[in-house]
Amino acid sequence: MRALEAVKDIDKDPEATLLARLARRAISDGEALALVGEHDQLTYRGLVARAYAYRDWAASRGRGRGNVVCLLMTNGPDYVAIWLGLTEAGCVVALLNTNLRGDALLHGIAASGARELIAAPRFETELASVAARLPEGFRCHLHGAAGHDLSATEDGAVSCSDIAAVRPQLSDTALLIYTSGTTGLPKAAKVSHGRIVEWSLWFAGLTDAQASDRLYNCLPMYHSVGGVVAVGSMLVSGGAVVIRERFSASRFWDDVIAERCTIFQYIGELCRYLVKSRPHPNEREHSLRLCCGNGLSGEVWEVFQERFAVPRILEFYAATEGNVSLYNCEGKPGAIGRVPPFLAHRFPVAVIKTDLATGAPQRDGQGFCVPCAPDEAGEAIGKVLETPAMPAREFQGYTDAASTGRKLLRDVFKPDDLWFRSGDLMRKDSAGYFYFVDRLGDTFRWKGENVSATEVANVINGCEGVEDAVAFGVVIPGHDGRAGMAAISGTDASGLAELCAALASNLPLYARPLFLRLCGSIERTGTFKLRKEHLAREGYAASADPVWFIDWRTSTPVPCDGAFRQHIAAGGLSWL
């Protein structure tokens, strides 16, 4: 496998960071395009020169090992150059979500421990609104704004050579990348230089990246896929990354064709948007040879590949902070990957029985975890190796020690062994393929049965007119467990009959949601994950959106207004 051969390159030069490797490429292929933005572009020589300028900017100010700098900028070539340069000076760069405001922004800064921040001028208002609550002495630099040239020197600056002599090691933390925060405040995960290099080389091998490739990247660069994996895999191969600030379904095919892109880095939701979009006259006239990403459901996969004439899809599963990695190199629709037997010692992954009510692993009489049978859903875990063969197999944890501890599981299959908890429910079939089931906590019990919120949402998403859907469990007085509820955008009451028909045809009675909330829109994270924690908290209570109760005895929708809620509180649903 070329991916394994690519990773062996680390052993040839164990001290070389990503920037050091790009500097060598700039000598031989300096004029080749590396990063193509909407308004500017950088060749390999230009990227390395600019990254070194940022490295020297940090070094001249005495910033190096032990200093954390936050980065708050939208997608663009300079985003890459800044974190490459600052981490080469020894700094740790915290990649802040550009959607953060107010308390959430303050939390992101505090979680990093930074005393300094680089931001695009467009975020000046947001920063000003929290300035009084920032730590004393905290400094903000507006990148590209008048009077804020990050390559300028200051009086009394230290010599660059003083810090340049201390080269970062692959084991050093380079980046802090935040979890999405769909179910709580984001945590800052540590990412080492070695992890960055290995991710880049590994995905270059998996995608068979060549210097002739041009990868289309519209994913947020503060996330590990859009900011490191997609970028690094192309740069170590001599290819180019076409960077866009955001995804646009209406201009996607025109853009991909005009930029001669050969690879598209996707999130499953983007593929679903494209499938639901109106036909584009040139949607099959592209040069894409591969679409690579995660979260593509089997139903969307086959339609997407057929409609748009995509030769190959490479689905994978990984977590920024985790050591569970799976790759579906065979193109099996719906599967997130498998671990070939000859790689099992490098990638020890297991699925264990889990109590869905508490989230705790089930233990046998000896106190050890119980492996799931084939096709039985449980939590996926990855063994924490004392001396992993590859940096990406390490679990480096978060800046918060308590959060790190909660992700570790000890005494799993033998005394004192240590495993990483993915927090994801999966099932593994008899052929060894893994399938994503749900996030742990998103599966709920009703009528003694486990209901997958993801499965319910997928059925609703298949209905005409639906834009987005999320499902969750809600408490009904006098009943055990949680009844199903879904929040839906893109349709109104006129679409309820079709929704009910689809749910009745595709789901058993216990899994059909009893409540449907018709929303104008559903908020998303920057990585296109739907936020539903506030919707679950509100349940079927009064809201600005209409809520309907579905009486599945007749498939009849009933408005869940104040009178009906009183009916529920009085035990009026005892027949359920």
Side-chain angles (χ1 to χ4, degrees), residues 545-573:
D545 304 315
V547 178
W548 296 79
F549 172 80
I550 310 301
D551 185 341
W552 286 108
R553 295 174 296 183
T554 58
S555 297
T556 303
V558 178
C560 188
D561 53 17
F564 194 81
R565 290 194 298 275
Q566 289 180 359
H567 176 66
I568 295 174
L573 299 183

PDB file of all heavy atoms in Angstrom, residues 545-573:
ATOM      1  N   ASP A 545     -41.397  28.086  16.374  1.00  0.00           N
ATOM      2  CA  ASP A 545     -41.671  27.167  15.270  1.00  0.00           C
ATOM      3  C   ASP A 545     -42.884  26.298  15.577  1.00  0.00           C
ATOM      4  O   ASP A 545     -43.102  25.915  16.730  1.00  0.00           O
ATOM      5  CB  ASP A 545     -40.466  26.247  15.037  1.00  0.00           C
ATOM      6  CG  ASP A 545     -39.183  27.013  14.792  1.00  0.00           C
ATOM      7  OD1 ASP A 545     -39.238  27.982  14.010  1.00  0.00           O
ATOM      8  OD2 ASP A 545     -38.142  26.641  15.374  1.00  0.00           O
ATOM      9  N   PRO A 546     -43.660  25.957  14.569  1.00  0.00           N
ATOM     10  CA  PRO A 546     -44.792  25.049  14.800  1.00  0.00           C
ATOM     11  C   PRO A 546     -44.310  23.633  15.124  1.00  0.00           C
ATOM     12  O   PRO A 546     -43.356  23.147  14.521  1.00  0.00           O
ATOM     13  CB  PRO A 546     -45.551  25.080  13.474  1.00  0.00           C
ATOM     14  CG  PRO A 546     -44.550  25.525  12.458  1.00  0.00           C
ATOM     15  CD  PRO A 546     -43.598  26.424  13.181  1.00  0.00           C
ATOM     16  N   VAL A 547     -44.938  23.004  16.105  1.00  0.00           N
ATOM     17  CA  VAL A 547     -44.628  21.636  16.492  1.00  0.00           C
ATOM     18  C   VAL A 547     -45.887  20.797  16.305  1.00  0.00           C
ATOM     19  O   VAL A 547     -46.991  21.219  16.700  1.00  0.00           O
ATOM     20  CB  VAL A 547     -44.146  21.562  17.955  1.00  0.00           C
ATOM     21  CG1 VAL A 547     -43.883  20.109  18.359  1.00  0.00           C
ATOM     22  CG2 VAL A 547     -42.881  22.394  18.150  1.00  0.00           C
ATOM     23  N   TRP A 548     -45.710  19.601  15.727  1.00  0.00           N
ATOM     24  CA  TRP A 548     -46.831  18.704  15.472  1.00  0.00           C
ATOM     25  C   TRP A 548     -46.598  17.382  16.198  1.00  0.00           C
ATOM     26  O   TRP A 548     -45.489  16.863  16.245  1.00  0.00           O
ATOM     27  CB  TRP A 548     -46.992  18.440  13.979  1.00  0.00           C
ATOM     28  CG  TRP A 548     -47.348  19.667  13.177  1.00  0.00           C
ATOM     29  CD1 TRP A 548     -46.504  20.650  12.765  1.00  0.00           C
ATOM     30  CD2 TRP A 548     -48.644  20.037  12.731  1.00  0.00           C
ATOM     31  NE1 TRP A 548     -47.184  21.625  12.073  1.00  0.00           N
ATOM     32  CE2 TRP A 548     -48.519  21.263  12.028  1.00  0.00           C
ATOM     33  CE3 TRP A 548     -49.917  19.458  12.836  1.00  0.00           C
ATOM     34  CZ2 TRP A 548     -49.600  21.908  11.456  1.00  0.00           C
ATOM     35  CZ3 TRP A 548     -50.993  20.108  12.244  1.00  0.00           C
ATOM     36  CH2 TRP A 548     -50.840  21.323  11.568  1.00  0.00           C
ATOM     37  N   PHE A 549     -47.690  16.845  16.746  1.00  0.00           N
ATOM     38  CA  PHE A 549     -47.665  15.497  17.320  1.00  0.00           C
ATOM     39  C   PHE A 549     -48.250  14.551  16.272  1.00  0.00           C
ATOM     40  O   PHE A 549     -49.277  14.862  15.643  1.00  0.00           O
ATOM     41  CB  PHE A 549     -48.501  15.438  18.599  1.00  0.00           C
ATOM     42  CG  PHE A 549     -48.674  14.049  19.138  1.00  0.00           C
ATOM     43  CD1 PHE A 549     -47.667  13.442  19.879  1.00  0.00           C
ATOM     44  CD2 PHE A 549     -49.846  13.329  18.889  1.00  0.00           C
ATOM     45  CE1 PHE A 549     -47.825  12.144  20.362  1.00  0.00           C
ATOM     46  CE2 PHE A 549     -50.016  12.042  19.371  1.00  0.00           C
ATOM     47  CZ  PHE A 549     -49.007  11.446  20.110  1.00  0.00           C
ATOM     48  N   ILE A 550     -47.580  13.403  16.073  1.00  0.00           N
ATOM     49  CA  ILE A 550     -48.056  12.437  15.094  1.00  0.00           C
ATOM     50  C   ILE A 550     -48.701  11.257  15.822  1.00  0.00           C
ATOM     51  O   ILE A 550     -48.025  10.539  16.556  1.00  0.00           O
ATOM     52  CB  ILE A 550     -46.910  11.933  14.191  1.00  0.00           C
ATOM     53  CG1 ILE A 550     -46.112  13.105  13.610  1.00  0.00           C
ATOM     54  CG2 ILE A 550     -47.473  11.041  13.080  1.00  0.00           C
ATOM     55  CD1 ILE A 550     -46.923  14.075  12.779  1.00  0.00           C
ATOM     56  N   ASP A 551     -49.981  11.078  15.610  1.00  0.00           N
ATOM     57  CA  ASP A 551     -50.698   9.929  16.162  1.00  0.00           C
ATOM     58  C   ASP A 551     -50.541   8.780  15.160  1.00  0.00           C
ATOM     59  O   ASP A 551     -51.229   8.741  14.131  1.00  0.00           O
ATOM     60  CB  ASP A 551     -52.174  10.287  16.350  1.00  0.00           C
ATOM     61  CG  ASP A 551     -52.948   9.158  17.033  1.00  0.00           C
ATOM     62  OD1 ASP A 551     -52.461   8.006  17.024  1.00  0.00           O
ATOM     63  OD2 ASP A 551     -54.055   9.432  17.547  1.00  0.00           O
ATOM     64  N   TRP A 552     -49.606   7.876  15.471  1.00  0.00           N
ATOM     65  CA  TRP A 552     -49.255   6.829  14.506  1.00  0.00           C
ATOM     66  C   TRP A 552     -50.333   5.746  14.365  1.00  0.00           C
ATOM     67  O   TRP A 552     -50.228   4.877  13.515  1.00  0.00           O
ATOM     68  CB  TRP A 552     -47.910   6.201  14.866  1.00  0.00           C
ATOM     69  CG  TRP A 552     -46.763   7.123  14.544  1.00  0.00           C
ATOM     70  CD1 TRP A 552     -45.982   7.802  15.425  1.00  0.00           C
ATOM     71  CD2 TRP A 552     -46.321   7.502  13.237  1.00  0.00           C
ATOM     72  NE1 TRP A 552     -45.060   8.577  14.756  1.00  0.00           N
ATOM     73  CE2 TRP A 552     -45.252   8.409  13.404  1.00  0.00           C
ATOM     74  CE3 TRP A 552     -46.730   7.177  11.945  1.00  0.00           C
ATOM     75  CZ2 TRP A 552     -44.580   8.981  12.329  1.00  0.00           C
ATOM     76  CZ3 TRP A 552     -46.072   7.752  10.862  1.00  0.00           C
ATOM     77  CH2 TRP A 552     -44.996   8.641  11.059  1.00  0.00           C
ATOM     78  N   ARG A 553     -51.396   5.819  15.165  1.00  0.00           N
ATOM     79  CA  ARG A 553     -52.506   4.890  14.964  1.00  0.00           C
ATOM     80  C   ARG A 553     -53.210   5.194  13.645  1.00  0.00           C
ATOM     81  O   ARG A 553     -53.722   4.287  12.980  1.00  0.00           O
ATOM     82  CB  ARG A 553     -53.496   4.982  16.131  1.00  0.00           C
ATOM     83  CG  ARG A 553     -52.923   4.542  17.477  1.00  0.00           C
ATOM     84  CD  ARG A 553     -53.896   4.786  18.610  1.00  0.00           C
ATOM     85  NE  ARG A 553     -54.166   6.214  18.809  1.00  0.00           N
ATOM     86  CZ  ARG A 553     -54.950   6.693  19.779  1.00  0.00           C
ATOM     87  NH1 ARG A 553     -55.516   5.858  20.648  1.00  0.00           N
ATOM     88  NH2 ARG A 553     -55.148   7.988  19.891  1.00  0.00           N
ATOM     89  N   THR A 554     -53.196   6.474  13.282  1.00  0.00           N
ATOM     90  CA  THR A 554     -53.846   6.893  12.028  1.00  0.00           C
ATOM     91  C   THR A 554     -52.918   7.725  11.152  1.00  0.00           C
ATOM     92  O   THR A 554     -53.329   8.194  10.089  1.00  0.00           O
ATOM     93  CB  THR A 554     -55.101   7.725  12.350  1.00  0.00           C
ATOM     94  OG1 THR A 554     -54.718   8.868  13.137  1.00  0.00           O
ATOM     95  CG2 THR A 554     -56.125   6.895  13.108  1.00  0.00           C
ATOM     96  N   SER A 555     -51.647   7.909  11.611  1.00  0.00           N
ATOM     97  CA  SER A 555     -50.674   8.780  10.925  1.00  0.00           C
ATOM     98  C   SER A 555     -51.194  10.203  10.787  1.00  0.00           C
ATOM     99  O   SER A 555     -50.934  10.884   9.786  1.00  0.00           O
ATOM    100  CB  SER A 555     -50.309   8.207   9.546  1.00  0.00           C
ATOM    101  OG  SER A 555     -49.671   6.965   9.668  1.00  0.00           O
ATOM    102  N   THR A 556     -51.933  10.649  11.802  1.00  0.00           N
ATOM    103  CA  THR A 556     -52.552  11.975  11.756  1.00  0.00           C
ATOM    104  C   THR A 556     -51.728  12.996  12.523  1.00  0.00           C
ATOM    105  O   THR A 556     -51.426  12.793  13.700  1.00  0.00           O
ATOM    106  CB  THR A 556     -53.967  11.923  12.371  1.00  0.00           C
ATOM    107  OG1 THR A 556     -54.744  10.961  11.673  1.00  0.00           O
ATOM    108  CG2 THR A 556     -54.640  13.293  12.279  1.00  0.00           C
ATOM    109  N   PRO A 557     -51.341  14.127  11.885  1.00  0.00           N
ATOM    110  CA  PRO A 557     -50.639  15.199  12.609  1.00  0.00           C
ATOM    111  C   PRO A 557     -51.627  16.025  13.436  1.00  0.00           C
ATOM    112  O   PRO A 557     -52.710  16.380  12.967  1.00  0.00           O
ATOM    113  CB  PRO A 557     -50.015  16.045  11.492  1.00  0.00           C
ATOM    114  CG  PRO A 557     -50.203  15.262  10.223  1.00  0.00           C
ATOM    115  CD  PRO A 557     -51.396  14.389  10.446  1.00  0.00           C
ATOM    116  N   VAL A 558     -51.253  16.333  14.673  1.00  0.00           N
ATOM    117  CA  VAL A 558     -52.070  17.151  15.564  1.00  0.00           C
ATOM    118  C   VAL A 558     -51.208  18.312  16.048  1.00  0.00           C
ATOM    119  O   VAL A 558     -50.084  18.093  16.514  1.00  0.00           O
ATOM    120  CB  VAL A 558     -52.552  16.325  16.779  1.00  0.00           C
ATOM    121  CG1 VAL A 558     -53.371  17.206  17.720  1.00  0.00           C
ATOM    122  CG2 VAL A 558     -53.345  15.110  16.330  1.00  0.00           C
ATOM    123  N   PRO A 559     -51.670  19.561  15.932  1.00  0.00           N
ATOM    124  CA  PRO A 559     -50.849  20.691  16.416  1.00  0.00           C
ATOM    125  C   PRO A 559     -50.532  20.535  17.899  1.00  0.00           C
ATOM    126  O   PRO A 559     -51.426  20.323  18.721  1.00  0.00           O
ATOM    127  CB  PRO A 559     -51.750  21.906  16.169  1.00  0.00           C
ATOM    128  CG  PRO A 559     -52.713  21.469  15.106  1.00  0.00           C
ATOM    129  CD  PRO A 559     -52.956  20.011  15.354  1.00  0.00           C
ATOM    130  N   CYS A 560     -49.237  20.646  18.233  1.00  0.00           N
ATOM    131  CA  CYS A 560     -48.808  20.536  19.634  1.00  0.00           C
ATOM    132  C   CYS A 560     -48.793  21.938  20.232  1.00  0.00           C
ATOM    133  O   CYS A 560     -47.745  22.523  20.502  1.00  0.00           O
ATOM    134  CB  CYS A 560     -47.438  19.868  19.714  1.00  0.00           C
ATOM    135  SG  CYS A 560     -46.929  19.472  21.397  1.00  0.00           S
ATOM    136  N   ASP A 561     -49.998  22.477  20.441  1.00  0.00           N
ATOM    137  CA  ASP A 561     -50.129  23.831  20.989  1.00  0.00           C
ATOM    138  C   ASP A 561     -50.240  23.764  22.509  1.00  0.00           C
ATOM    139  O   ASP A 561     -50.058  22.707  23.122  1.00  0.00           O
ATOM    140  CB  ASP A 561     -51.338  24.528  20.368  1.00  0.00           C
ATOM    141  CG  ASP A 561     -52.619  23.700  20.497  1.00  0.00           C
ATOM    142  OD1 ASP A 561     -52.645  22.763  21.332  1.00  0.00           O
ATOM    143  OD2 ASP A 561     -53.584  23.979  19.759  1.00  0.00           O
ATOM    144  N   GLY A 562     -50.558  24.916  23.120  1.00  0.00           N
ATOM    145  CA  GLY A 562     -50.620  24.955  24.565  1.00  0.00           C
ATOM    146  C   GLY A 562     -51.618  23.970  25.149  1.00  0.00           C
ATOM    147  O   GLY A 562     -51.344  23.295  26.148  1.00  0.00           O
ATOM    148  N   ALA A 563     -52.781  23.864  24.521  1.00  0.00           N
ATOM    149  CA  ALA A 563     -53.805  22.946  25.022  1.00  0.00           C
ATOM    150  C   ALA A 563     -53.336  21.502  24.933  1.00  0.00           C
ATOM    151  O   ALA A 563     -53.575  20.698  25.848  1.00  0.00           O
ATOM    152  CB  ALA A 563     -55.098  23.139  24.230  1.00  0.00           C
ATOM    153  N   PHE A 564     -52.656  21.172  23.832  1.00  0.00           N
ATOM    154  CA  PHE A 564     -52.201  19.785  23.675  1.00  0.00           C
ATOM    155  C   PHE A 564     -51.077  19.473  24.656  1.00  0.00           C
ATOM    156  O   PHE A 564     -50.983  18.356  25.177  1.00  0.00           O
ATOM    157  CB  PHE A 564     -51.746  19.533  22.234  1.00  0.00           C
ATOM    158  CG  PHE A 564     -51.579  18.073  21.920  1.00  0.00           C
ATOM    159  CD1 PHE A 564     -52.670  17.284  21.597  1.00  0.00           C
ATOM    160  CD2 PHE A 564     -50.329  17.466  21.970  1.00  0.00           C
ATOM    161  CE1 PHE A 564     -52.524  15.928  21.313  1.00  0.00           C
ATOM    162  CE2 PHE A 564     -50.166  16.125  21.692  1.00  0.00           C
ATOM    163  CZ  PHE A 564     -51.280  15.344  21.369  1.00  0.00           C
ATOM    164  N   ARG A 565     -50.232  20.456  24.945  1.00  0.00           N
ATOM    165  CA  ARG A 565     -49.168  20.227  25.921  1.00  0.00           C
ATOM    166  C   ARG A 565     -49.752  19.991  27.311  1.00  0.00           C
ATOM    167  O   ARG A 565     -49.231  19.186  28.093  1.00  0.00           O
ATOM    168  CB  ARG A 565     -48.177  21.394  25.911  1.00  0.00           C
ATOM    169  CG  ARG A 565     -47.335  21.459  24.634  1.00  0.00           C
ATOM    170  CD  ARG A 565     -46.151  22.403  24.804  1.00  0.00           C
ATOM    171  NE  ARG A 565     -46.560  23.762  25.056  1.00  0.00           N
ATOM    172  CZ  ARG A 565     -46.873  24.651  24.106  1.00  0.00           C
ATOM    173  NH1 ARG A 565     -46.821  24.287  22.831  1.00  0.00           N
ATOM    174  NH2 ARG A 565     -47.224  25.879  24.414  1.00  0.00           N
ATOM    175  N   GLN A 566     -50.831  20.701  27.631  1.00  0.00           N
ATOM    176  CA  GLN A 566     -51.508  20.457  28.903  1.00  0.00           C
ATOM    177  C   GLN A 566     -52.095  19.041  28.917  1.00  0.00           C
ATOM    178  O   GLN A 566     -52.086  18.355  29.945  1.00  0.00           O
ATOM    179  CB  GLN A 566     -52.613  21.489  29.110  1.00  0.00           C
ATOM    180  CG  GLN A 566     -52.087  22.897  29.396  1.00  0.00           C
ATOM    181  CD  GLN A 566     -53.221  23.905  29.593  1.00  0.00           C
ATOM    182  OE1 GLN A 566     -54.397  23.556  29.503  1.00  0.00           O
ATOM    183  NE2 GLN A 566     -52.848  25.153  29.847  1.00  0.00           N
ATOM    184  N   HIS A 567     -52.602  18.606  27.761  1.00  0.00           N
ATOM    185  CA  HIS A 567     -53.146  17.258  27.615  1.00  0.00           C
ATOM    186  C   HIS A 567     -52.054  16.223  27.895  1.00  0.00           C
ATOM    187  O   HIS A 567     -52.288  15.218  28.582  1.00  0.00           O
ATOM    188  CB  HIS A 567     -53.697  17.105  26.195  1.00  0.00           C
ATOM    189  CG  HIS A 567     -54.202  15.736  25.863  1.00  0.00           C
ATOM    190  ND1 HIS A 567     -55.307  15.174  26.476  1.00  0.00           N
ATOM    191  CD2 HIS A 567     -53.745  14.809  24.971  1.00  0.00           C
ATOM    192  CE1 HIS A 567     -55.513  13.960  25.976  1.00  0.00           C
ATOM    193  NE2 HIS A 567     -54.581  13.720  25.068  1.00  0.00           N
ATOM    194  N   ILE A 568     -50.830  16.492  27.389  1.00  0.00           N
ATOM    195  CA  ILE A 568     -49.706  15.571  27.624  1.00  0.00           C
ATOM    196  C   ILE A 568     -49.369  15.543  29.114  1.00  0.00           C
ATOM    197  O   ILE A 568     -49.188  14.479  29.710  1.00  0.00           O
ATOM    198  CB  ILE A 568     -48.468  16.009  26.806  1.00  0.00           C
ATOM    199  CG1 ILE A 568     -48.740  15.883  25.309  1.00  0.00           C
ATOM    200  CG2 ILE A 568     -47.242  15.175  27.192  1.00  0.00           C
ATOM    201  CD1 ILE A 568     -47.629  16.433  24.430  1.00  0.00           C
ATOM    202  N   ALA A 569     -49.275  16.732  29.732  1.00  0.00           N
ATOM    203  CA  ALA A 569     -48.903  16.826  31.136  1.00  0.00           C
ATOM    204  C   ALA A 569     -49.912  16.124  32.042  1.00  0.00           C
ATOM    205  O   ALA A 569     -49.561  15.611  33.106  1.00  0.00           O
ATOM    206  CB  ALA A 569     -48.763  18.295  31.546  1.00  0.00           C
ATOM    207  N   ALA A 570     -51.154  16.081  31.597  1.00  0.00           N
ATOM    208  CA  ALA A 570     -52.204  15.441  32.394  1.00  0.00           C
ATOM    209  C   ALA A 570     -52.278  13.937  32.161  1.00  0.00           C
ATOM    210  O   ALA A 570     -53.203  13.283  32.648  1.00  0.00           O
ATOM    211  CB  ALA A 570     -53.553  16.084  32.074  1.00  0.00           C
ATOM    212  N   GLY A 571     -51.324  13.408  31.414  1.00  0.00           N
ATOM    213  CA  GLY A 571     -51.310  11.965  31.166  1.00  0.00           C
ATOM    214  C   GLY A 571     -52.167  11.539  30.003  1.00  0.00           C
ATOM    215  O   GLY A 571     -52.561  10.366  29.901  1.00  0.00           O
ATOM    216  N   GLY A 572     -52.456  12.463  29.088  1.00  0.00           N
ATOM    217  CA  GLY A 572     -53.338  12.157  27.970  1.00  0.00           C
ATOM    218  C   GLY A 572     -52.765  11.218  26.934  1.00  0.00           C
ATOM    219  O   GLY A 572     -53.487  10.799  26.025  1.00  0.00           O
ATOM    220  N   LEU A 573     -51.476  10.899  27.049  1.00  0.00           N
ATOM    221  CA  LEU A 573     -50.867   9.979  26.071  1.00  0.00           C
ATOM    222  C   LEU A 573     -50.617   8.614  26.703  1.00  0.00           C
ATOM    223  O   LEU A 573     -49.689   7.898  26.316  1.00  0.00           O
ATOM    224  CB  LEU A 573     -49.549  10.569  25.541  1.00  0.00           C
ATOM    225  CG  LEU A 573     -49.650  11.907  24.806  1.00  0.00           C
ATOM    226  CD1 LEU A 573     -48.281  12.320  24.269  1.00  0.00           C
ATOM    227  CD2 LEU A 573     -50.660  11.846  23.658  1.00  0.00           C
TER     228      LEU A 573
END
